[in-house]
Each structure stands twice: as structure tokens, then as C-alpha cells.
Amino acid sequence: MTQTKLVLLGTGTPNACPNASGPASAVVVGDKAYLVDFGPGVVRQASKAYYNGIDALRPDLLTVAFCTHLHTDHTVGLPDLIFTPWVLERREPLKLFGPKGLADMTRLVTQAYSADIDFRIHGFEKANETGYKTQVTEIESPGIIYQDDRVTVEAFPVSHGTLTCYGYKFVTDDRTIVISGDTCPLDIVAEKAKGADILLHEVEYAGGLSSRSPKWQKYHREVHTLSTDLAKIAAKARPKLLVTYHRIYHMNILDNSQNLVCEMNRRCDTILQEIRDAGYDGPVVNGNDLDCF
């Protein structure tokens, strides 16, 4: 049986954290990787994972990716994902799946790099003429959006403000993995993750929210998931493992006079305690860049 793994390529947020790359994950089934989101640094993170022994994440093998939503922190690595593997001799066009608007974004990114494409194909390099191309599928309705001999991928709607946003459920021969994307707390996530092997879910530090202005408190409650609310979702779903990512710490990371790593670690520990104190007694961990489950 082919073994399925979840590899966290980036667990960060829009904040330029020095210890968390932009949001990106990979469901790896044998020698094939399926990316979810492509935040800053996605291909270099894949390369790091490859050198950690995950052969499917060799950059020139990256050919399928799913986008949860079009926020910059989840998509600014798109040019990297299109072009860097091609420069490394990927020949297969990149297959992309995501919400409406992804096709325009991809088309405009490709257009923006037209001089580079022309030089690499017609200049000294003589690169292949297919590896930079893309095949974009915009999701028109929830349900199964992708299937091959290794995996079935279901998209389901989540709520993240006015942007169209999807979570994804991956089902393979040996694992079920659910990835929330950015969302406020929703019963549909618990429904899709019921009994799953892994639920990868965004979270924010409940205790830190009170330090924000009323405007930002309102925003975060409407579009993200507090640790205390995540506990309720997990209690309904009962996944074999709950993994947090895209952790919002509610702290100023643009202050290098503080011990950033120490403070983040403290808040990470508190997030886990908040989840437990809110009534969730199942296995839960904070995911970090390059973790493999």
C-alpha cells in the first residue's frame, strides 16, 4: 500500500515571521505530491523537504496544486511555483485548482514574465516549451474536483469574509486528510473531518485577541477561528490528530528588541492549553514548517 503523508511547507500568516514560511502544505501519496496553497518561498520549502527525504517534493516534480483562496499570503508564491520548477526542467504543465479569479491571476502572472519566457525558450538556454504552462480549473461548485489513481479531492466552502474560500478533503487508500483553509468556525469543517486521520486547521490565540482594537477584534472573530472555537469543532469531528497552522498570535513581530521565538513558543503552548481547557481531549499539536505527519 502506498503511504500517505502530510508535509507542512509553510505554517505562517501574512506576517513576515522569520521562523514560519508562507502558508503551503503538501499531501504526499507515494512519489506524488499535491500542494495546497503556495505562499512565499513555497518551492524552496519543497526543496528543503526533498532534502529531508520526501522525494515527491523535488521541485521539478511539482505539478498539481490547490488554492484555498486568493489572499496574498496564500498565493504570492504562484510565480515561484510556475517558473522555478520549469527552470529546473519540469516539462509537464502545472495543474491548478481554486476559486474564481485564479485563472486571471495565473494568466496575468504568466504575462508579467513574458520577457523571461521568451528568453529562456528562444535565447541561449533553449528551455522546454511546456513546463511553464498552466492548466487552471476554477471550482464552480463544491464536491469532488480532482481524482486520479492515488487520491480523491473534495472541495467544500468555508467562510473567510467576502472572498470565496474552500477547504479540501483528501482521501487515499490509507488516509483521510482535511485542510481547513482560512475560515471562521464552521460545522461543515467538523462534518468533513469526522473521523479523519488528520485535521489541519487554522487557529488564533484567544487570550491575545483582547489586546487588539475593537475593529480588529470584530474582524478576527468573523473570519478566523479562535482556539476555544477550534476545540468545539475538533470535539465534533474527533480526528485522529488535530494539527494547527496559520497561527495568529496577536503580537507585534516588527519589534526585534523582543525574544520573538521565546514569545511565540509561549503563545503556542497557551494555544494548546486553551484548546484543552475548552473541552477537547483528543491528540493535538502545533504544526511547524517542514513537519511531516
Side-chain angles (χ1 to χ4, degrees):
M1 180 182 291
T2 301
Q3 187 179 33
T4 302
K5 302 173 183 177
L6 173 67
V7 182
L8 304 184
L9 300 178
T11 57
T13 66
N15 289 319
C17 294
N19 56 352
S21 195
S25 307
V27 176
V28 175
V29 190
D31 61 359
K32 184 74 173 178
Y34 306 85
L35 300 189
V36 178
D37 287 332
F38 21 89
V42 59
V43 176
R44 280 161 177 76
Q45 290 296 98
S47 183
K48 289 178 185 177
Y50 170 64
Y51 276 94
N52 282 348
I54 311 297
D55 290 349
L57 285 167
R58 199 177 78 191
D60 63 313
L61 300 179
L62 303 177
T63 59
V64 182
F66 302 84
C67 177
T68 59
H69 65 295
L70 299 182
H71 264 155
T72 52
D73 55 318
H74 294 254
T75 59
V76 79
L78 181 57
D80 190 18
L81 187 57
I82 292 172
F83 296 113
T84 305
W86 173 51
V87 170
L88 298 173
E89 301 187 359
R90 179 183 67 198
R91 291 184 172 274
E92 186 176 335
L94 175 65
K95 295 182 178 67
L96 294 166
F97 300 81
K100 185 177 180 181
L102 182 60
D104 276 348
M105 178 182 284
T106 304
R107 176 181 58 82
L108 292 168
V109 164
T110 305
Q111 181 181 329
Y113 285 87
S114 58
D116 178 85
I117 295 168
D118 180 71
F119 178 79
R120 292 187 188 279
I121 292 176
H122 301 111
F124 296 143
E125 295 188 36
K126 303 300 182 187
N128 71 73
E129 299 184 14
T130 52
Y132 74 92
K133 295 183 177 180
T134 55
Q135 298 171 355
V136 182
T137 300
E138 292 188 340
I139 300 169
E140 296 183 358
S141 59
I144 294 173
I145 59 162
Y146 179 87
Q147 195 167 22
D148 62 20
D149 60 345
R150 298 165 185 260
V151 65
T152 298
V153 183
E154 178 185 357
F156 57 92
V158 294
S159 180
H160 187 52
T162 56
L163 278 177
T164 300
C165 188
Y166 292 101
Y168 292 103
K169 181 175 183 177
F170 290 77
V171 179
T172 72
D173 286 344
D174 66 323
R175 292 286 186 273
T176 296
I177 297 171
V178 175
I179 299 175
S180 72
D182 286 8
T183 183
C184 64
L186 295 174
D187 284 340
I188 192 172
V189 178
E191 174 192 326
K192 297 299 180 183
K194 194 166 187 62
D197 293 280
I198 300 173
L199 169 57
L200 178 66
H201 204 293
E202 70 129 82
V203 70
E204 59 178 320
Y205 173 37
L209 186 60
S210 60
S211 67
R212 307 298 298 274
S213 69
K215 167 194 167 184
W216 285 110
Q217 288 190 41
K218 181 176 185 296
Y219 168 81
H220 281 282
R221 289 184 182 279
E222 289 178 350
V223 303
H224 289 294
T225 301
L226 290 170
S227 54
T228 48
D229 290 322
L230 178 55
K232 298 171 186 175
I233 293 168
K236 292 176 182 177
R238 306 305 301 185
K240 293 183 177 65
L241 178 64
L242 171 64
V243 181
T244 77
Y245 82 134
H246 198 282
R247 287 183 296 279
I248 300 172
Y249 298 105
H250 296 300
M251 61 183 290
N252 179 16
I253 71 152
L254 299 178
D255 174 13
N256 67 2
S257 67
Q258 65 182 323
N259 186 326
L260 183 67
V261 173
C262 181
E263 182 59 23
M264 281 187 173
N265 287 341
R266 184 189 73 80
R267 294 185 185 221
C268 276
D269 290 343
T270 306
I271 285 170
L272 292 181
Q273 192 59 53
E274 287 175 336
I275 292 171
R276 296 187 184 102
D277 289 348
Y280 184 61
D281 59 359
V284 53
V285 298
N286 289 320
N288 295 299
D289 288 16
L290 303 182
D291 280 351
C292 181
F293 300 96

